[in-house]
Amino acid sequence: MTLFGSRLKQLRKDAHLTQTQVGEKVGVTKVSICCYENGTRLPSLDTLVDLANLFKVDVDYLLGNDTYVVADNDYEYSISMSKEELVFIKEIRKYNKLHKDIVADPKRIAELIYKKLK
């Protein structure tokens, strides 16, 4: 399931709506909503906007871009991160040595993780 799909499903459940009801409200079939939630299909731009309006969220939230992190040094900048990415970072920070290794050589660690998961 994609981040979009899991967020859509959670919003639907939080609103106590069925896939059929959501489909009727945005003008698509229950099967389409099911496919969006399972990550096998993406909505059109119009449907994406209709879904965001229905659940009163930004399109960015549905797409996984919802939190901005600003540096606290001489240079200010921001990046867009999902809540899930922030949770991941917080979890990594709990393991001091692992966190230091990742910060020291992120590319190497990412490659090691990728190889391990293959």
Side-chain angles (χ1 to χ4, degrees):
M1 185 181 308
T2 64
L3 185 56
F4 167 76
S6 63
R7 286 191 171 184
L8 176 60
K9 185 174 185 175
Q10 189 60 52
L11 288 167
R12 178 179 62 77
K13 287 185 171 195
D14 290 348
H16 307 289
L17 295 171
T18 65
Q19 291 175 337
T20 302
Q21 290 169 320
V22 171
E24 288 171 354
K25 291 178 183 296
V26 297
V28 298
T29 65
K30 171 196 181 292
V31 172
S32 292
I33 299 299
C34 180
C35 289
Y36 302 158
E37 289 181 1
N38 291 328
T40 58
R41 186 186 304 169
L42 291 173
S44 68
L45 182 57
D46 289 339
T47 302
L48 181 63
V49 170
D50 289 343
L51 288 166
N53 289 336
L54 172 65
F55 295 113
K56 295 177 179 49
V57 297
D58 288 336
V59 170
D60 275 345
Y61 174 77
L62 283 173
L63 297 176
N65 302 316
D66 58 332
T67 304
Y68 295 94
V69 179
V70 178
D72 191 25
N73 57 19
D74 292 343
Y75 301 99
E76 288 191 4
Y77 66 94
S78 64
I79 58 174
S80 184
M81 297 179 76
S82 69
K83 288 180 183 174
E84 293 80 2
E85 289 169 313
L86 288 175
V87 168
F88 173 76
I89 291 168
K90 286 178 182 177
E91 288 299 315
I92 291 295
R93 286 182 174 170
K94 291 179 181 177
Y95 303 92
N96 195 33
K97 182 177 177 349
L98 177 61
H99 181 252
K100 286 181 180 180
D101 289 347
I102 290 172
V103 170
D105 194 352
K107 183 178 178 185
R108 179 178 161 270
I109 300 298
E111 288 171 352
L112 288 171
I113 292 170
Y114 179 75
K115 286 178 184 176
K116 185 69 173 175
L117 294 177
K118 263 176 109 173

